[in-house]
Amino acid sequence: MASSKAETLDPAKEIKNVCPICFEPFKTPRYLPCFHTFCHNCLSSYILSTCKSKENPVGFPCPLCRQFVPAPSSIGEPEKWTELIPVSTITQAMFEKKDKFCDACRRADEEEVATDWCKSCLESLCLSCAKCHKRSAASQNHELIPVSDKDTVPVAIERRVLCIDHNAPAKFLCVDHEELCCAECVCTKHRKCYQVDEIEKTAENLIQSGTLKKLAQEILKHSEVLIQTKTEGETTMKHIDETSDKISQESTDLRDKLVRHKNDLIETHIDDLAKKVKGIKEKLAKFDDTVTDRQLLMTQFSQILTDTEKTPPPILVQNYLKIKKQFKQVTGLCLNQPSVHIQIRRHKGRS
């Protein structure tokens, strides 16, 4: 009996070597905040299918661990999210390499078996080249790991904030545009801006001024409102079920009292009722999903803004800007609970 692709995979490397969605080698791998990695197209299709039934979606759950992932860009535009989810360059580099030789030696038309892997350069190095790599002033701080451990390199080492325009480390914040930028941006795109601060200074000010705490408190209050709204939605759903049961019973009693020639009218009435109830419940279910996502988003924001001690300044500022923007978007969205109106329609038949 032939085995499936999933069954023939090496269990120890299944998640690392192939996409957990398509079970094929990674194609433009992108990783989520939980560090689970997926092909670009697989993740894009998953996001669209998950969000298609939601009104103004604010995020999506990880396909593997189900951790809620806040929208990486504008809320309500899931078709744009995948492009802004970071590419796992380490995963891509590891699996594009087809041999076991030193990359530095190969450039000199030599072949030496690699012993180490440089996380910064994304290259394999032989023993001699590894020593030179550590001695060089330009690469002395690069971290090398044994080739045998290469497949276990965590995606977390790619967690850094890069300038969108130049793909360089973001070291400044343009206060005028509320945009993170690198040194080149400061001299070009933002050279005429009134205020450009160092990102470490901005992060320190955000903490000391209580700005992060204030935003966290606002988010917590909004989260409480969402919880109350969700509770009201659940109560309404229960009311719909009870009303539906009551009307169905009344309809059944009415059918028993009427003469045989009225049965067709009553059956039609019950069918109409079922369709109406289904339609209303679908609207309420969609409303409940929308409220749940916002509640999860507020929880995620609260956690991020509360845990600041171990958060690098660039990440902290980036999180603050994104959360501030998205919180304003979310609170500005209309959250209209579907109205419910059900009544029994009585037919008058000929005697």
Side-chain angles (χ1 to χ4, degrees):
M1 178 176 168
S3 60
S4 66
K5 284 185 177 181
E7 294 172 340
T8 58
L9 293 172
D10 179 0
K13 297 182 179 180
E14 179 176 359
I15 301 302
K16 276 291 186 179
N17 292 340
V18 298
C19 170
I21 294 179
C22 67
F23 295 102
E24 297 287 345
F26 285 113
K27 297 178 181 177
T28 314
R30 294 184 181 271
Y31 67 95
L32 302 179
C34 57
F35 304 130
H36 287 131
T37 307
F38 309 91
C39 294
H40 173 99
N41 290 338
C42 293
L43 186 58
S44 179
S45 299
Y46 168 78
I47 292 174
L48 292 176
S49 64
T50 302
C51 297
K52 67 180 180 181
S53 62
K54 299 176 182 178
E55 181 181 355
N56 292 319
V58 296
F60 61 94
C62 169
L64 283 182
C65 66
R66 310 308 296 172
Q67 177 179 321
F68 190 75
V69 180
S73 62
S74 299
I75 288 175
E77 300 179 349
E79 66 279 357
K80 298 180 180 179
W81 293 350
T82 309
E83 294 294 336
L84 297 175
I85 294 174
V87 175
S88 180
T89 54
I90 292 179
T91 301
Q92 192 166 8
M94 284 195 300
F95 299 116
E96 283 180 352
K97 184 171 177 59
K98 304 300 182 182
D99 57 50
K100 59 181 180 180
F101 297 111
C102 170
D103 292 320
C105 291
R106 290 295 292 270
R107 287 193 289 272
D109 295 327
E110 299 176 1
E111 289 188 352
E112 290 291 338
V113 176
T115 59
D116 294 273
W117 170 267
C118 177
K119 291 183 179 181
S120 300
C121 301
L122 304 182
E123 285 192 343
S124 296
L125 301 170
C126 65
L127 186 59
S128 298
C129 290
K131 290 181 179 180
C132 294
H133 207 67
K134 296 301 291 184
R135 292 171 180 170
S136 172
S139 56
Q140 61 180 347
N141 294 324
H142 291 189
E143 183 178 355
L144 303 181
I145 61 171
V147 169
S148 58
D149 297 337
K150 186 177 66 172
D151 290 343
T152 64
V153 177
V155 184
I157 67 173
E158 294 192 52
R159 196 181 183 194
R160 50 184 176 167
V161 178
L162 299 177
C163 164
I164 298 176
D165 296 328
H166 305 104
N167 200 36
K171 297 183 178 181
F172 301 93
L173 168 69
C174 174
V175 180
D176 297 11
H177 297 93
E178 290 194 338
E179 183 177 310
L180 298 177
C181 52
C182 65
E184 185 174 348
C185 288
V186 174
C187 299
T188 55
K189 181 179 178 180
H190 299 282
R191 63 187 178 86
K192 294 184 179 180
C193 294
Y194 178 75
Q195 184 177 357
V196 177
D197 295 334
E198 293 181 353
I199 204 165
E200 286 80 4
K201 176 183 177 182
T202 302
E204 182 179 355
N205 289 338
L206 286 174
I207 297 175
Q208 294 182 351
S209 65
T211 302
L212 289 178
K213 184 177 180 180
K214 181 179 179 181
L215 180 57
Q217 291 173 344
E218 292 180 13
I219 290 175
L220 183 60
K221 291 181 181 179
H222 187 68
S223 180
E224 293 173 352
V225 172
L226 291 175
I227 292 174
Q228 179 62 32
T229 303
K230 184 178 181 180
T231 301
E232 293 174 358
E234 292 171 348
T235 301
T236 302
M237 183 79 77
K238 181 180 179 180
H239 170 70
I240 290 297
D241 289 333
E242 293 175 350
T243 304
S244 173
D245 293 341
K246 181 179 178 181
I247 295 178
S248 295
Q249 185 61 49
E250 289 178 356
S251 298
T252 301
D253 293 342
L254 180 61
R255 181 189 60 196
D256 294 340
K257 294 178 182 179
L258 293 175
V259 292
R260 185 180 300 275
H261 72 273
K262 293 184 178 181
N263 285 344
D264 290 340
L265 291 175
I266 297 176
E267 291 296 334
T268 300
H269 168 67
I270 293 176
D271 290 340
D272 290 342
L273 171 65
K275 292 178 181 179
K276 180 180 293 186
V277 169
K278 180 180 179 182
I280 294 176
K281 292 181 71 175
E282 288 176 350
K283 291 180 180 179
L284 287 172
K286 182 177 181 181
F287 174 76
D288 184 76
D289 282 346
T290 301
V291 174
T292 298
D293 272 9
R294 281 160 174 73
Q295 180 187 349
L296 289 172
L297 183 68
M298 295 304 109
T299 301
Q300 191 89 355
F301 283 169
S302 297
Q303 183 177 354
I304 292 173
L305 292 172
T306 303
D307 186 12
T308 59
E309 293 183 358
K310 298 181 180 180
T311 304
I315 299 294
L316 189 147
V317 177
Q318 183 187 50
N319 287 344
Y320 165 72
L321 293 176
K322 188 178 81 170
I323 289 174
K324 176 184 176 183
K325 178 181 179 181
Q326 293 189 352
F327 177 64
K328 183 178 180 180
Q329 291 177 332
V330 171
T331 53
L333 294 173
C334 293
L335 192 63
N336 298 322
Q337 183 171 339
S339 59
V340 177
H341 180 68
I342 300 180
Q343 65 179 10
I344 186 169
R345 185 179 64 198
R346 303 183 183 278
H347 295 278
K348 294 182 179 181
R350 291 179 297 176
S351 58

